[in-house]
Amino acid sequence: MGGSGGGEKKVEVVESKEWYLAAYAPEGVPTSDHLKLRTVTLSLAVDSIPDGHVAVQLLWTSTEPYLRTIMTGVEEGGLYFPQIPLNKVITTFGVGRVIVSKDGKFSEGEIVVNPFFPVAEYSVVASHFLRKTDPTAGIPLPEYLSSLGLPGFSAWVGIEVLGKPKPGSNVFISACAGAVGMIAGQLAKLKGCRVIGSTGSDNKVKLSKEKFGYDDAFNYNKETDFDAALSKYCPNGIDIYLDNVGGKMLEAVLNHVNKGAHIPVCGMISQYNKTWTEREGVRNLLNIVGKEVKIEGFLVGTYMNRMGEFMKEMEGYIKEKKISSEHKIYNGIESFLEGFASIFSTSNVGKVIIQVAA
Ligand code: NAP
């Protein structure tokens, strides 16, 4: 394909593959019955693109757990996002190249990040959510979906803004080798905390300790008693628990919290594939009274006014090599479903990203 612009009278049409929601999945991990790939024809002719829009070639796209919660077809609590209409293309965080611009602020060839890029090889999108990347910064593009993207920002809000760590704080993080967990652990270490994690495989335990700097971590699939595991790994109790999984781990943590502990609840991925009546309860919520624990759910969208502060801090850490990340890269837009489904298992490592084009 090729773009058109700069006043050239060149009509361009591309065939573009895109993922759309064909049927809702009230429970279980979504499959090819729910998410389907189709090919559409898209005009890139300048005249067909509305003002304030750009045509973009998608380079990298992101698998985000919250997408699961907007594919159930049930408007019930959870993350409070509206359900995706059937037959509509899925949108998520992505990095793309501008190929035609009808907005003076963006030029052809620029690489942009968008929280709502269609999972489509080519698309025409409104430009107001686009953010330019800095080609001189030397930051690999996948980082914009990882340490500098939604997971990194979530880790920063959870640990730095809500967790309020002090040197020596005892921090526990679930899904510690995942996209949020790997960054959260490193941020807590940079604040001088003792940091413990839980994850689903020995390989991820090793990675958490050796690459992400966790003081210790355990494989929850090998621990039959989470309460006993926390006694062993968190002998001084827990001051901050960044909850990514909910369920039985949250219940166990509440038996180990110190006075005044903070529990920023980033997500509860262990519960996403269940209807709400099947979700696990937490029997010892009473512990939050005597220990004066603050449990606080959050959505990063609420903290967008602090995005600039976060970006500056995180870019500094990346340049100084104080924070590193691990990416599980799938190749080709065809692999989106496989990559997305993998985040509901232990099979992935770090941030799962799809490379759509070079
Ligand atoms: P991720 O950790 O990269 O991938 C999900 C991981 O969760 C899997 O690798 C797996 O790791 C673990 N997992 C999956 N199913 C599980 C289960 N049934 N029980 C226990 N662990 C399970 O995902 P992420 O992007 O970093 O997201 C982590 C959490 O943050 C999610 O709950 C997500 O919804 C939330 N989040 C919230 C916000 C917000 O604004 N609040 C923004 C971004 C993400 P193991 O091998 O360790 O089990």
Side-chain angles (χ1 to χ4, degrees):
M1 70 63 51
S4 69
E8 291 172 37
K9 281 280 174 206
K10 208 163 57 165
V11 177
E12 299 277 357
V13 171
V14 287
E15 300 277 288
S16 173
K17 292 195 216 78
E18 64 180 28
W19 283 93
Y20 69 102
L21 189 66
Y24 290 116
E27 56 192 314
V29 178
T31 67
S32 54
D33 289 340
H34 312 103
L35 282 167
K36 292 188 188 294
L37 192 63
R38 67 186 169 203
T39 302
V40 297
T41 303
L42 187 70
S43 169
L44 300 179
V46 179
D47 292 347
S48 66
I49 296 171
D51 288 340
H53 286 62
V54 296
V56 175
Q57 180 184 22
L58 188 63
L59 303 178
W60 301 87
T61 190
S62 179
T63 59
E64 299 296 345
Y66 88 89
L67 291 173
R68 174 66 191 97
T69 68
I70 56 175
M71 295 179 187
T72 64
V74 184
E75 302 283 352
E76 42 84 8
L79 294 179
Y80 291 105
F81 295 128
Q83 297 296 303
I84 308 171
L86 292 182
N87 296 315
K88 191 171 180 294
V89 64
I90 305 293
T91 63
T92 184
F93 275 74
V95 178
R97 182 185 292 117
V98 175
I99 48 178
V100 185
S101 177
K102 288 288 282 290
D103 180 330
K105 293 193 288 300
F106 295 93
S107 307
E108 289 173 31
E110 282 181 331
I111 306 295
V112 290
V113 183
N114 180 0
F116 305 109
F117 259 140
V119 184
E121 289 174 301
Y122 297 94
S123 57
V124 173
V125 294
S127 53
H128 58 269
F129 284 122
L130 300 184
R131 191 162 43 83
K132 292 182 195 184
T133 62
D134 175 3
T136 64
I139 294 173
L141 294 181
E143 291 298 340
Y144 290 96
L145 303 180
S146 170
S147 54
L148 289 167
L150 183 64
F153 191 35
S154 307
W156 185 82
V157 171
I159 294 294
E160 295 204 11
V161 179
L162 304 177
K164 300 182 174 51
K166 300 186 188 77
S169 294
N170 296 286
V171 177
F172 177 60
I173 298 170
S174 50
C176 68
V180 173
M182 67 179 171
I183 304 299
Q186 294 175 85
L187 287 174
K189 281 308 295 177
L190 285 165
K191 295 287 174 196
C193 303
R194 180 173 187 273
V195 189
I196 305 299
S198 65
T199 183
S201 74
D202 290 346
N203 179 38
K204 287 163 94 166
V205 166
K206 190 166 180 278
L207 189 74
S208 301
K209 293 197 282 188
E210 292 178 0
K211 183 161 182 181
F212 308 139
Y214 277 78
D215 292 291
D216 214 337
F218 63 89
N219 176 350
Y220 67 85
N221 282 318
K222 280 190 169 168
E223 302 286 344
T224 47
D225 182 344
F226 291 172
D227 204 37
L230 291 174
S231 294
K232 180 175 162 196
Y233 288 94
C234 304
N236 300 320
I238 295 170
D239 301 303
I240 300 168
Y241 171 45
L242 181 66
D243 190 6
N244 286 313
V245 304
K248 288 190 170 57
M249 192 61 83
L250 174 59
E251 186 173 270
V253 165
L254 287 177
N255 288 337
H256 295 268
V257 280
N258 294 330
K259 186 98 174 164
H262 286 168
I263 303 186
V265 182
C266 186
M268 295 194 170
I269 199 166
S270 73
Q271 309 298 303
Y272 292 176
N273 291 311
K274 300 173 181 175
T275 54
W276 85 265
T277 49
E278 289 168 357
R279 288 182 188 147
E280 283 160 310
V282 174
R283 294 168 297 176
N284 51 0
L285 277 174
L286 182 56
N287 296 2
I288 70 177
V289 180
K291 292 283 177 61
E292 298 190 302
V293 176
K294 186 170 183 183
I295 301 184
E296 188 170 8
F298 68 94
L299 291 174
V300 286
T302 303
Y303 297 86
M304 287 315 282
N305 61 335
R306 302 196 59 178
M307 187 70 173
E309 188 187 338
F310 155 73
M311 292 289 288
K312 196 164 170 239
E313 186 177 325
M314 187 59 72
E315 281 179 7
Y317 288 147
I318 293 169
K319 283 178 194 156
E320 293 163 27
K321 300 200 184 318
K322 287 186 174 161
I323 289 237
S324 60
S325 31
E326 184 81 18
H327 302 143
K328 166 82 180 165
I329 308 281
Y330 285 79
N331 285 305
I333 197 161
E334 295 82 1
S335 60
F336 178 77
L337 175 57
E338 188 187 351
F340 178 62
S342 81
I343 63 178
F344 303 102
S345 74
T346 276
S347 63
N348 62 348
V349 178
K351 172 69 188 167
V352 178
I353 300 176
I354 319 294
Q355 180 162 25
V356 179

